[in-house]
């Protein structure tokens, strides 16, 4: 019998370890700053490969921070289970410090708006588009004021508007929506979650609760999805017979959006 890959590997590094937690032991503010600086330099020097690598690393750092905030991620097939152990105070303090540096400092280092603004079809790989969607998904989860674990006030609706200012944002999600049949379930979930946030984001109550879209009076940002490209993609989604649960969520979004447009 051939030994499994995890045999002979210390528990701390084997399949029973939770990868993002182990990553936290290797990172600090300087690692994060270096990652963000590398991404900024690559964008300025128009080096797409280096930019994609830096964004991929930043995605993993965000997932590591999310792991301490939200606990076990059993749905992540590329992660092992954390188990029932609570995050220790040291790692939790590191995570909070990182979040302060990226999102809450007077000169926040959040790179997502710039990364999305510089995205363009044909300039980068699909993998990079998926990474940006995952970064946006993790970021909005970490900042969601409805999350009881989020003890810092944050205007998520205003942040969403900031992300939507560049035309590239909806182009990015439109491209991923068009590719729903070849996307992984995780990517389709990221697309659904973001577009759903757009559909329910209020126009006038930037700090208030969520309200359903209305076709009687424009109250939300849902009309941003009233584009030929999205309607064509929604029609393709509605014709999908794969039975995938994430595609079913996209179908619900498509049907809702088309119904409100009528």
């Amino acid at each position: 019998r051939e030994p499994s890959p995890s045999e002979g590997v210390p528990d701390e590094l084997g399949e029973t370890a939770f990868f993002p937690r182990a990553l936290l032991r290797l990172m600090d503010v300087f690692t994060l700053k270096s990652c963000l600086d590398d991404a900024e330099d690559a964008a300025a020097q128009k080096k797409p490969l280096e930019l994609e690598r830096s964004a991929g690393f930043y995605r993993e750092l965000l997932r590591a921070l999310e792991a301490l905030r939200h606990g076990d991620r059993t749905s992540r097939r590329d992660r092992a289970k954390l188990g029932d152990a609570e995050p220790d105070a040291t790692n939790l303090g590191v995570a909070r410090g990182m979040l302060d540096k990226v999102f809450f400092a007077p000169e926040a280092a959040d790179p997502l708006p710039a990364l999305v603004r510089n995205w363009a079809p044909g300039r980068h790989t699909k993998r990079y588009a998926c990474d940006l969607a995952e970064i946006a998904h993790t970021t909005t989860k970490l900042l969601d004021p409805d999350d009881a674990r989020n003890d810092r006030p944050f205007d998520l609706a205003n942040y969403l508007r900031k992300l939507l200012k560049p035309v590239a944002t909806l182009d990015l999600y439109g491209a991923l929506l068009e590719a729903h049949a070849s996307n992984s379930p995780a990517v389709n979930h990221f697309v659904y979650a973001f577009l759903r946030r757009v559909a329910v984001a209020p126009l006038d109550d930037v700090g208030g609760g969520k309200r359903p879209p209305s076709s009687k009076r424009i109250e939300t940002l849902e009309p941003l999805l009233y584009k030929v490209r999205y309607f064509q993609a929604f029609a393709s989604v509605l014709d999908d017979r794969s039975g995938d649960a994430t595609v079913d969520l996209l179908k619900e979004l498509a049907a809702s959006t088309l119904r409100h447009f009528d």
Side-chain angles (χ1 to χ4, degrees):
R1 184 180 67 87
E2 295 184 0
S4 67
S6 61
E7 288 184 12
V9 179
D11 289 342
E12 184 179 14
L13 302 176
E15 293 180 351
T16 58
F18 190 53
F19 170 72
R21 185 178 232 194
L23 179 60
L24 276 174
R25 299 177 182 178
L26 303 177
M27 81 176 193
D28 50 27
V29 173
F30 298 105
T31 304
L32 177 62
K33 185 177 185 303
S34 176
C35 173
L36 299 180
D37 287 346
D38 288 346
E40 183 178 357
D41 292 343
Q45 299 173 22
K46 300 187 183 303
K47 296 181 177 180
L49 182 59
E50 287 79 356
L51 176 60
E52 293 182 16
R53 289 172 176 169
S54 296
F57 182 43
Y58 176 66
R59 181 202 70 213
E60 293 299 333
L61 294 181
L62 276 186
R63 280 299 189 185
L65 299 180
E66 183 200 20
L68 291 189
R69 177 66 67 84
H70 295 283
D72 190 12
R73 297 285 300 174
T74 55
S75 63
R76 299 282 294 168
R77 289 181 294 180
D78 58 336
R79 306 285 192 264
K81 293 182 179 180
L82 174 64
D84 297 327
E86 292 292 331
D88 59 78
T90 301
N91 281 352
L92 191 56
V94 170
R96 286 175 176 167
M98 296 292 177
L99 291 174
D100 286 345
K101 171 69 176 177
V102 177
F103 301 113
F104 300 109
E107 297 182 0
D110 178 20
L112 180 58
L115 292 176
V116 173
R117 184 171 59 249
N118 293 325
W119 180 89
R123 184 184 299 170
H124 298 282
T125 63
K126 181 184 177 182
R127 177 67 263 172
Y128 180 60
C130 295
D131 284 347
L132 291 183
E134 185 169 359
I135 290 172
H137 182 75
T138 308
T139 297
T140 52
K141 285 188 64 178
L142 288 170
L143 300 177
D144 193 341
D146 293 335
D147 188 340
R149 288 171 286 256
N150 190 354
D151 55 359
R152 298 291 298 270
F154 192 85
D155 191 342
L156 186 59
N158 191 50
Y159 182 79
L160 182 62
R161 290 181 179 80
K162 182 179 178 181
L163 288 181
L164 291 170
K165 282 184 179 180
V167 177
T169 302
L170 289 178
D171 288 343
L172 168 68
Y173 281 92
L176 290 176
L177 183 64
E178 291 171 339
H180 72 275
S182 60
N183 291 342
S184 68
V187 171
N188 281 336
H189 175 71
F190 302 150
V191 173
Y192 165 79
F194 184 85
L195 296 182
R196 184 59 185 167
R197 284 186 184 275
V198 172
V200 302
L203 282 174
D204 52 352
D205 186 11
V206 297
K210 299 176 182 177
R211 293 179 295 177
S214 172
S215 59
K216 297 179 180 178
R217 185 165 67 94
I218 297 177
E219 298 178 339
T220 73
L221 298 179
E222 188 185 51
L224 291 176
L225 305 182
Y226 298 167
K227 298 174 179 285
V228 173
R229 180 178 195 175
Y230 275 85
F231 288 164
Q232 291 175 336
F234 284 149
S236 177
V237 168
L238 292 172
D239 288 337
D240 191 295
R241 298 293 184 266
S242 65
D244 183 89
T246 55
V247 173
D248 290 341
L249 289 176
L250 288 174
K251 286 183 178 182
E252 293 178 9
L253 176 67
S256 173
T257 304
L258 295 174
R259 183 173 62 253
H260 296 149
F261 177 74
D262 290 339

